[in-house]
Amino acid sequence: MTTITSDHPLTREQQRALKILSGLMIPASPEYQVPGADDELIFSDILRTVIPQQQLARLAIDQLNKLANGDFAGGTSTAVQQATQRFRESGSPLVGFVHALVAQCYYRDDRVMKSLDMEPRAPFPQGFDVDEGDWSLLDPVRARGPMYRSPP
């Protein structure tokens, strides 16, 4: 099954760039027996998920292309690594967008969830048990006071 398709709002070149970036962000781990974010199933989910935000994806890929002297997807391994590093260090809000997109889709994969000893299911309606924590960590939030206006 090939993920990159012509029936997608991103061009094939943009899809290739996004796939390369996804694989660099979360590479496969033979040690933990998990796929990378460029795995066909995971990347198919990334392509479906990005459609409503395709303009942000295009902007991120354009920025990567500029950092890679015009061709991120076709660049050498070294050029791709350097462009990715400069993109990450740029402080651009697009970095956060790409991180959120890739991580969201990666952790929806059943194989990844099983590797974390988590049941591969939606968190609701059953929820997940959370260990009791140190409630004092919330003290700075409580001390901040309300961040809303009281109704008239």
Side-chain angles (χ1 to χ4, degrees), residues 10 21 23 30 39 67 76 83-84 87 113 116-117 125 144 148:
L10 296 180
L21 181 60
D39 172 81
L67 293 169
T76 65
T84 303
F87 177 67
M113 294 302 288
L116 297 170
D117 292 326
R144 174 176 71 203
Y148 55 87

Side-chain angles (χ1 to χ4, degrees), residues 89-106:
E89 293 171 350
S90 71
S92 168
L94 296 171
V95 175
F97 161 73
V98 174
H99 280 176
L101 170 70
V102 172
Q104 170 188 11
C105 296
Y106 185 75

Side-chain angles (χ1 to χ4, degrees), residues 57-76:
R58 283 191 192 100
L59 290 171
I61 294 164
D62 288 348
Q63 190 172 346
L64 283 164
N65 281 331
K66 286 178 188 169
L67 293 169
N69 296 321
D71 188 13
F72 179 79
T76 65

Side-chain angles (χ1 to χ4, degrees), residues 36-146:
D38 58 349
D39 172 81
E40 292 299 323
L41 290 173
I42 296 170
F43 191 67
S44 291
D45 188 22
I46 291 171
L47 286 180
R48 281 189 305 275
T49 303
V50 79
I51 290 173
Q53 300 168 321
Q54 59 190 275
Q55 190 56 36
L56 290 174
R58 283 191 192 100
L59 290 171
I61 294 164
D62 288 348
Q63 190 172 346
L64 283 164
N65 281 331
K66 286 178 188 169
L67 293 169
N69 296 321
D71 188 13
F72 179 79
T76 65
S77 176
T78 302
V80 167
Q81 292 278 353
Q82 289 173 347
T84 303
Q85 184 67 23
R86 287 194 300 270
F87 177 67
R88 189 176 68 80
E89 293 171 350
S90 71
S92 168
L94 296 171
V95 175
F97 161 73
V98 174
H99 280 176
L101 170 70
V102 172
Q104 170 188 11
C105 296
Y106 185 75
Y107 288 105
R108 280 197 297 229
D109 186 82
D110 289 355
R111 298 165 293 170
V112 173
M113 294 302 288
K114 287 177 185 174
S115 77
L116 297 170
D117 292 326
M118 294 187 75
E119 189 178 343
R121 63 173 174 80
F124 298 103
Q126 294 168 310
F128 286 107
D129 291 331
V130 179
D131 292 334
E132 187 76 27
D134 180 1
W135 287 88
S136 68
L137 294 173
L138 292 175
D139 288 346
V141 177
R142 288 186 192 111
R144 174 176 71 203

